[in-house]
PDB file of all heavy atoms in Angstrom:
ATOM      1  N   ALA A 143      13.439  14.325 -14.829  1.00  0.00           N
ATOM      2  CA  ALA A 143      14.529  13.567 -14.210  1.00  0.00           C
ATOM      3  C   ALA A 143      15.061  14.266 -12.960  1.00  0.00           C
ATOM      4  O   ALA A 143      15.743  13.651 -12.146  1.00  0.00           O
ATOM      5  CB  ALA A 143      15.661  13.345 -15.212  1.00  0.00           C
ATOM      6  N   ALA A 144      14.730  15.539 -12.793  1.00  0.00           N
ATOM      7  CA  ALA A 144      15.167  16.285 -11.603  1.00  0.00           C
ATOM      8  C   ALA A 144      14.244  16.032 -10.413  1.00  0.00           C
ATOM      9  O   ALA A 144      14.537  16.459  -9.308  1.00  0.00           O
ATOM     10  CB  ALA A 144      15.221  17.779 -11.913  1.00  0.00           C
ATOM     11  N   ARG A 145      13.129  15.341 -10.646  1.00  0.00           N
ATOM     12  CA  ARG A 145      12.181  15.072  -9.574  1.00  0.00           C
ATOM     13  C   ARG A 145      12.321  13.625  -9.081  1.00  0.00           C
ATOM     14  O   ARG A 145      12.686  12.743  -9.830  1.00  0.00           O
ATOM     15  CB  ARG A 145      10.753  15.288 -10.072  1.00  0.00           C
ATOM     16  CG  ARG A 145      10.435  16.717 -10.426  1.00  0.00           C
ATOM     17  CD  ARG A 145       8.934  16.846 -10.699  1.00  0.00           C
ATOM     18  NE  ARG A 145       8.480  17.757 -11.692  1.00  0.00           N
ATOM     19  CZ  ARG A 145       8.787  17.830 -12.977  1.00  0.00           C
ATOM     20  NH1 ARG A 145       9.602  17.011 -13.509  1.00  0.00           N
ATOM     21  NH2 ARG A 145       8.265  18.724 -13.771  1.00  0.00           N
ATOM     22  N   GLY A 146      11.970  13.428  -7.839  1.00  0.00           N
ATOM     23  CA  GLY A 146      11.950  12.075  -7.286  1.00  0.00           C
ATOM     24  C   GLY A 146      13.330  11.572  -6.906  1.00  0.00           C
ATOM     25  O   GLY A 146      14.325  12.280  -7.014  1.00  0.00           O
ATOM     26  N   PRO A 147      13.366  10.323  -6.477  1.00  0.00           N
ATOM     27  CA  PRO A 147      14.626   9.761  -5.989  1.00  0.00           C
ATOM     28  C   PRO A 147      15.620   9.481  -7.114  1.00  0.00           C
ATOM     29  O   PRO A 147      15.244   9.263  -8.254  1.00  0.00           O
ATOM     30  CB  PRO A 147      14.195   8.459  -5.307  1.00  0.00           C
ATOM     31  CG  PRO A 147      12.925   8.070  -6.002  1.00  0.00           C
ATOM     32  CD  PRO A 147      12.255   9.369  -6.367  1.00  0.00           C
ATOM     33  N   ILE A 148      16.882   9.487  -6.735  1.00  0.00           N
ATOM     34  CA  ILE A 148      17.973   9.108  -7.630  1.00  0.00           C
ATOM     35  C   ILE A 148      18.269   7.626  -7.345  1.00  0.00           C
ATOM     36  O   ILE A 148      18.322   7.221  -6.180  1.00  0.00           O
ATOM     37  CB  ILE A 148      19.227   9.975  -7.374  1.00  0.00           C
ATOM     38  CG1 ILE A 148      18.951  11.432  -7.726  1.00  0.00           C
ATOM     39  CG2 ILE A 148      20.432   9.450  -8.143  1.00  0.00           C
ATOM     40  CD1 ILE A 148      18.778  11.708  -9.193  1.00  0.00           C
ATOM     41  N   PRO A 149      18.460   6.828  -8.368  1.00  0.00           N
ATOM     42  CA  PRO A 149      18.736   5.399  -8.132  1.00  0.00           C
ATOM     43  C   PRO A 149      20.000   5.180  -7.296  1.00  0.00           C
ATOM     44  O   PRO A 149      21.000   5.867  -7.477  1.00  0.00           O
ATOM     45  CB  PRO A 149      18.945   4.842  -9.547  1.00  0.00           C
ATOM     46  CG  PRO A 149      18.316   5.837 -10.465  1.00  0.00           C
ATOM     47  CD  PRO A 149      18.408   7.160  -9.788  1.00  0.00           C
ATOM     48  N   ASP A 150      19.918   4.206  -6.401  1.00  0.00           N
ATOM     49  CA  ASP A 150      21.111   3.822  -5.645  1.00  0.00           C
ATOM     50  C   ASP A 150      21.945   2.868  -6.514  1.00  0.00           C
ATOM     51  O   ASP A 150      21.573   2.548  -7.641  1.00  0.00           O
ATOM     52  CB  ASP A 150      20.731   3.200  -4.300  1.00  0.00           C
ATOM     53  CG  ASP A 150      19.896   1.935  -4.427  1.00  0.00           C
ATOM     54  OD1 ASP A 150      19.792   1.358  -5.536  1.00  0.00           O
ATOM     55  OD2 ASP A 150      19.337   1.510  -3.400  1.00  0.00           O
ATOM     56  N   ALA A 151      23.060   2.407  -5.981  1.00  0.00           N
ATOM     57  CA  ALA A 151      23.979   1.567  -6.759  1.00  0.00           C
ATOM     58  C   ALA A 151      23.306   0.275  -7.230  1.00  0.00           C
ATOM     59  O   ALA A 151      23.515  -0.162  -8.365  1.00  0.00           O
ATOM     60  CB  ALA A 151      25.224   1.260  -5.938  1.00  0.00           C
ATOM     61  N   ALA A 152      22.485  -0.316  -6.378  1.00  0.00           N
ATOM     62  CA  ALA A 152      21.805  -1.564  -6.755  1.00  0.00           C
ATOM     63  C   ALA A 152      20.831  -1.319  -7.907  1.00  0.00           C
ATOM     64  O   ALA A 152      20.737  -2.131  -8.836  1.00  0.00           O
ATOM     65  CB  ALA A 152      21.084  -2.153  -5.548  1.00  0.00           C
ATOM     66  N   MET A 153      20.106  -0.206  -7.841  1.00  0.00           N
ATOM     67  CA  MET A 153      19.155   0.108  -8.915  1.00  0.00           C
ATOM     68  C   MET A 153      19.902   0.460 -10.193  1.00  0.00           C
ATOM     69  O   MET A 153      19.478   0.080 -11.288  1.00  0.00           O
ATOM     70  CB  MET A 153      18.218   1.238  -8.497  1.00  0.00           C
ATOM     71  CG  MET A 153      17.212   1.608  -9.576  1.00  0.00           C
ATOM     72  SD  MET A 153      16.169   0.241 -10.158  1.00  0.00           S
ATOM     73  CE  MET A 153      15.078   0.031  -8.773  1.00  0.00           C
ATOM     74  N   GLN A 154      21.000   1.176 -10.075  1.00  0.00           N
ATOM     75  CA  GLN A 154      21.802   1.476 -11.268  1.00  0.00           C
ATOM     76  C   GLN A 154      22.249   0.190 -11.946  1.00  0.00           C
ATOM     77  O   GLN A 154      22.206   0.080 -13.173  1.00  0.00           O
ATOM     78  CB  GLN A 154      23.049   2.286 -10.890  1.00  0.00           C
ATOM     79  CG  GLN A 154      22.866   3.765 -10.938  1.00  0.00           C
ATOM     80  CD  GLN A 154      24.211   4.426 -10.744  1.00  0.00           C
ATOM     81  OE1 GLN A 154      24.818   4.313  -9.688  1.00  0.00           O
ATOM     82  NE2 GLN A 154      24.681   5.096 -11.759  1.00  0.00           N
ATOM     83  N   LYS A 155      22.662  -0.767 -11.163  1.00  0.00           N
ATOM     84  CA  LYS A 155      23.104  -2.043 -11.714  1.00  0.00           C
ATOM     85  C   LYS A 155      21.948  -2.741 -12.424  1.00  0.00           C
ATOM     86  O   LYS A 155      22.113  -3.274 -13.519  1.00  0.00           O
ATOM     87  CB  LYS A 155      23.662  -2.937 -10.601  1.00  0.00           C
ATOM     88  CG  LYS A 155      24.210  -4.241 -11.086  1.00  0.00           C
ATOM     89  CD  LYS A 155      24.844  -5.027  -9.957  1.00  0.00           C
ATOM     90  CE  LYS A 155      25.394  -6.342 -10.496  1.00  0.00           C
ATOM     91  NZ  LYS A 155      26.055  -7.110  -9.445  1.00  0.00           N
ATOM     92  N   ARG A 156      20.787  -2.711 -11.823  1.00  0.00           N
ATOM     93  CA  ARG A 156      19.606  -3.334 -12.438  1.00  0.00           C
ATOM     94  C   ARG A 156      19.246  -2.639 -13.748  1.00  0.00           C
ATOM     95  O   ARG A 156      18.895  -3.294 -14.733  1.00  0.00           O
ATOM     96  CB  ARG A 156      18.430  -3.284 -11.462  1.00  0.00           C
ATOM     97  CG  ARG A 156      17.240  -4.056 -11.921  1.00  0.00           C
ATOM     98  CD  ARG A 156      16.178  -4.139 -10.862  1.00  0.00           C
ATOM     99  NE  ARG A 156      15.117  -5.033 -11.284  1.00  0.00           N
ATOM    100  CZ  ARG A 156      14.012  -5.248 -10.605  1.00  0.00           C
ATOM    101  NH1 ARG A 156      13.826  -4.650  -9.443  1.00  0.00           N
ATOM    102  NH2 ARG A 156      13.096  -6.055 -11.068  1.00  0.00           N
TER     103      ARG A 156
END
Side-chain angles (χ1 to χ4, degrees):
R145 294 189 214 57
I148 295 291
D150 61 13
M153 180 57 73
Q154 269 188 295
K155 183 175 180 178
R156 188 172 187 184

